[in-house]
Amino acid sequence: MADEVLLLDFWSSPYGMRLRVALAEKGIQYEYREEDLSNKSALLLQSNPVHKKIPVLIHNGKPVSESLVALQYIDEVWKDKTPLLPSDPYLRAQARFWADFVDKKVSELGRVVRTTKGEEQEAAKKEFLESIGLLEGELGDKPYFGGETLGFVDVALIPFYSWFYVYEKCGNFSIEAEQPKFYAWAKRCMQKESVSKSLADQKAIYDLHLQRMKARGMDQ
């Protein structure tokens, strides 16, 4: 029986982009279903009753929630196709550590940069760039975090490239100028079709961000 793979997602979600990149890297055919986040579908609420959030990967009727969990699931189920996690247990643990770091630092600090002003924004921007610097150190001289090929950390991190323009416009800074090595890594990833075709357009995301801020009565 052929695998039935369904992804409940929203186009601008960096967490959903992770799964889109992973599925593309492994050549897995799937159905993409865009969710209306202001009117979530019964299937989404049923599939992720705890958090009620996208993305949700549904594989042969079984839902998997939380993007890093679903990313590991994809890698384990289709392990014979372009593995994302290394086979060595220690290296696997390190990859999971840095992917978690992306969620706790890059994602969270990026959110603060794009939604605040003044001292709070400046502090978040400083810590954001410091976090990018730590990731640069982990990358070292490798083309990808996974070594010669795209790995787990690359897939966890590269979707935030779609949000770089938002961070830069809101925070009035340049990631490329501040962290050129990191930016070069992002550009390298974007040369891969599995990445470039899975990530949302930066300007479209910025327009969405402005709409959301305006709806909340917050000017940028």
Side-chain angles (χ1 to χ4, degrees):
M1 186 181 78
D3 282 315
E4 290 184 2
V5 183
L6 170 65
L7 180 61
L8 306 182
D9 200 358
F10 185 72
W11 69 272
S12 69
S13 169
Y15 307 106
M17 288 181 223
R18 288 171 168 172
L19 307 190
R20 287 175 243 164
V21 171
L23 290 166
E25 265 292 288
K26 289 176 176 285
I28 306 302
Q29 297 293 315
Y30 67 97
E31 178 188 346
Y32 177 89
R33 194 171 298 177
E34 183 85 353
E35 282 286 331
D36 178 354
L37 299 184
S38 63
N39 184 25
K40 296 173 182 177
S41 70
L43 180 59
L44 173 60
L45 299 176
Q46 174 189 333
S47 302
N48 189 2
V50 176
H51 297 300
K52 302 177 175 64
K53 292 180 178 179
I54 52 93
V56 177
L57 180 79
I58 303 177
H59 179 214
N60 293 334
K62 296 178 180 178
V64 184
S65 305
E66 296 296 287
S67 65
L68 289 182
V69 175
L71 193 56
Q72 291 181 63
Y73 179 85
I74 290 168
D75 201 39
E76 289 171 5
V77 170
W78 294 284
K79 56 178 179 276
D80 57 328
K81 299 181 179 181
T82 321
L84 300 175
L85 280 163
S87 57
D88 180 81
Y90 178 74
L91 295 178
R92 289 169 75 89
Q94 289 299 300
R96 291 189 182 105
F97 170 86
W98 286 107
D100 182 64
F101 179 88
V102 171
D103 277 359
K104 290 191 168 93
K105 292 293 185 179
V106 177
S107 174
E108 181 56 25
L109 291 167
R111 182 192 63 78
V112 179
V113 168
R114 65 182 167 81
T115 57
T116 63
K117 290 183 178 181
E119 290 183 6
E120 186 178 2
Q121 185 188 60
E122 285 301 312
K125 186 166 67 175
K126 180 175 181 289
E127 192 176 351
F128 176 86
L129 290 170
E130 288 171 353
S131 299
I132 297 299
L134 289 171
L135 284 161
E136 277 191 343
E138 173 61 17
L139 179 64
D141 295 324
K142 304 187 298 290
Y144 303 103
F145 287 93
E148 295 300 316
T149 58
L150 212 65
F152 191 77
V153 180
D154 299 284
V155 177
L157 179 56
I158 193 56
F160 291 95
Y161 177 77
S162 288
W163 285 83
F164 279 9
Y165 186 69
V166 173
Y167 303 155
E168 291 174 327
K169 291 286 284 184
C170 295
N172 192 29
F173 70 114
S174 166
I175 295 171
E176 184 175 14
E178 298 280 353
Q179 309 286 170
K181 185 177 175 182
F182 178 80
Y183 205 86
W185 160 83
K187 286 292 190 182
R188 198 176 303 122
C189 291
M190 286 298 290
Q191 290 172 5
K192 294 182 71 69
E193 190 174 300
S194 60
V195 176
S196 61
K197 289 194 171 180
S198 300
L199 265 58
D201 178 73
Q202 288 186 337
K203 300 291 178 65
I205 286 188
Y206 181 64
D207 289 343
L208 175 69
H209 170 73
L210 291 179
Q211 290 169 18
R212 286 175 169 175
M213 296 301 282
K214 185 177 181 181
R216 294 171 186 168
M218 299 170 70
D219 294 326
Q220 286 288 300

